[in-house]
């Protein structure tokens, strides 16, 4: 216990799925959590559950595509918890659609949330992390930031961008003691992907070459995020942590 004791951590998209699992895991290990999400109802519910378990958390309604919302979120973390030690850029959206049927509006929306949101967050926390002498930024990419699959071109483009953006940011931030790394989940049983796992035929197609022959659990991704948030990963910078059950092994 206490692997991130006293650290101030922002988790975007923290109301459900991987984000919520991250908030719960990090809080159990002693962090002060700012749970940020655009869904106020679910966000407040998740925050209250963390607080009921005796852990420190607050909710902030947040739009990752808004520059001003990022400024307000960072200011909130600074006022309440003295700054930001860790940022988990988890918020994202999934689009499963043939490329030829994907509209420009859909394309822009996926890139705006998944890529621009990550850029804005990574930029927003720089000064507070620098003031604190360092920090950890964890960007959620995907196996689809590493390999291709049909009917996911927009999503793959966004997650591939997050992968290389993380490396670029790492080269700029490392001298300030700020480590930037990416996490690449495989198929995870979350509300975002649950509809893909309902029918056996679709489930088999989506899991594809996953060696463990099952979808992952949000808690399994949260474990990787906890490691990167902790000082145990102090020599990891610009790395890709793949947690995919062997999907990208072949």
């Amino acid at each position: 216990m206490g692997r991130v004791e006293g650290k101030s951590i922002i988790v975007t998209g923290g109301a459900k799925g991987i984000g919520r699992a991250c908030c719960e895991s990090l809080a159990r290990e002693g962090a002060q959590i700012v749970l940020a999400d655009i869904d106020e109802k679910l966000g407040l519910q998740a925050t209250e559950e963390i607080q009921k378990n005796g852990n420190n958390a607050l909710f902030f309604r947040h739009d990752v595509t808004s520059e001003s919302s990022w400024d307000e979120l960072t200011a909130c973390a600074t006022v309440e918890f003295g700054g930001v030690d860790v940022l988990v850029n988890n918020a994202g959206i999934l689009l499963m659609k043939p490329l030829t049927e994907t509209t420009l509006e859909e394309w822009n929306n996926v890139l705006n949330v998944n890529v621009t949101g990550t850029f804005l967050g990574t930029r927003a926390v720089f000064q507070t992390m620098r003031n604190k002498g360092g920090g950890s930024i964890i960007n959620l990419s995907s196996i689809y930031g590493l390999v291709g699959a049909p009917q996911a071109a927009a999503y793959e483009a966004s997650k591939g961008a997050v992968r290389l953006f993380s490396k670029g940011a790492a080269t700029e931030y490392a001298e300030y003691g700020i480590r930037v790394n990416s996490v690449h989940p495989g198929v995870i049983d979350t509300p975002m992907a649950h509809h893909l796992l309902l029918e056996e035929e679709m489930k088999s197609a989506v899991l594809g070459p996953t060696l463990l022959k099952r979808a992952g659990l949000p808690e399994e991704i949260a474990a990787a995020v906890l490691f990167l948030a902790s000082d145990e990963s102090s020599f990891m910078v610009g790395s890709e942590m793949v947690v995919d059950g062997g999907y990208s092994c072949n």
Side-chain angles (χ1 to χ4, degrees):
M1 301 295 289
R3 293 169 66 189
V4 286
E5 187 71 38
K7 291 184 184 291
S8 169
I9 302 182
I10 293 174
V11 181
T12 67
K16 57 187 176 182
I18 291 172
R20 179 163 180 170
C22 288
C23 288
E24 293 170 347
S25 174
L26 294 164
R28 283 195 303 269
E29 293 291 338
Q32 303 171 112
I33 302 296
V34 181
L35 190 158
D37 204 290
I38 200 166
D39 189 326
E40 187 168 359
K41 181 179 179 180
L42 287 181
L44 286 170
Q45 289 176 355
T47 303
E48 289 170 2
E49 284 299 315
I50 293 171
Q51 293 169 340
K52 285 178 182 177
N53 290 326
N55 299 310
N56 200 352
L58 63 85
F59 172 73
F60 188 93
R61 188 184 185 282
H62 177 53
D63 176 0
V64 296
T65 68
S66 167
E67 188 171 14
S68 61
S69 185
W70 272 109
D71 291 339
E72 293 165 4
L73 174 59
T74 304
C76 172
T78 300
V79 170
E80 297 293 333
F81 298 140
V84 181
D85 296 294
V86 179
L87 168 63
V88 183
N89 275 316
N90 165 74
I93 56 175
L94 172 66
L95 179 68
M96 296 292 290
K97 198 171 187 180
L99 175 59
T100 54
E101 297 175 16
T102 300
T103 67
L104 179 59
E105 182 180 7
E106 290 171 330
W107 170 271
N108 286 338
N109 191 36
V110 171
L111 272 289
N112 201 25
V113 173
N114 294 357
V115 184
T116 302
T118 298
F119 154 69
L120 290 174
T122 301
R123 191 183 63 176
V125 300
F126 171 74
Q127 194 58 55
T128 181
M129 286 188 175
R130 182 179 180 181
N131 291 344
K132 298 192 70 150
S136 175
I137 298 174
I138 304 158
N139 295 327
L140 271 291
S141 179
S142 169
I143 49 167
Y144 289 152
L146 300 171
V147 300
Q151 301 193 44
Y155 183 74
E156 289 160 352
S158 72
K159 292 303 185 178
V162 168
R163 170 179 174 261
L164 283 180
F165 169 79
S166 299
K167 291 183 179 297
T171 66
E172 296 187 30
Y173 281 18
E175 66 177 291
Y176 304 103
I178 302 170
R179 301 181 295 107
V180 185
N181 295 285
S182 59
V183 176
H184 298 257
V187 180
I188 309 299
D189 191 358
T190 65
M192 186 169 74
H194 186 64
H195 67 287
L196 300 173
L197 303 172
L198 292 177
E199 297 180 3
E200 284 303 316
E201 185 175 348
M202 175 64 76
K203 180 178 178 180
S204 177
V206 169
L207 288 178
T210 303
L211 298 181
L212 294 184
K213 303 302 180 185
R214 66 171 177 86
L217 302 175
E219 293 77 13
E220 292 174 308
I221 307 304
V225 170
L226 172 60
F227 171 69
L228 290 175
S230 76
D231 295 337
E232 299 161 20
S233 59
S234 57
F235 203 54
M236 290 188 68
V237 183
S239 298
E240 302 163 3
M241 181 171 283
V242 180
V243 190
D244 68 352
Y247 186 105
S248 58
C249 187
N250 296 320

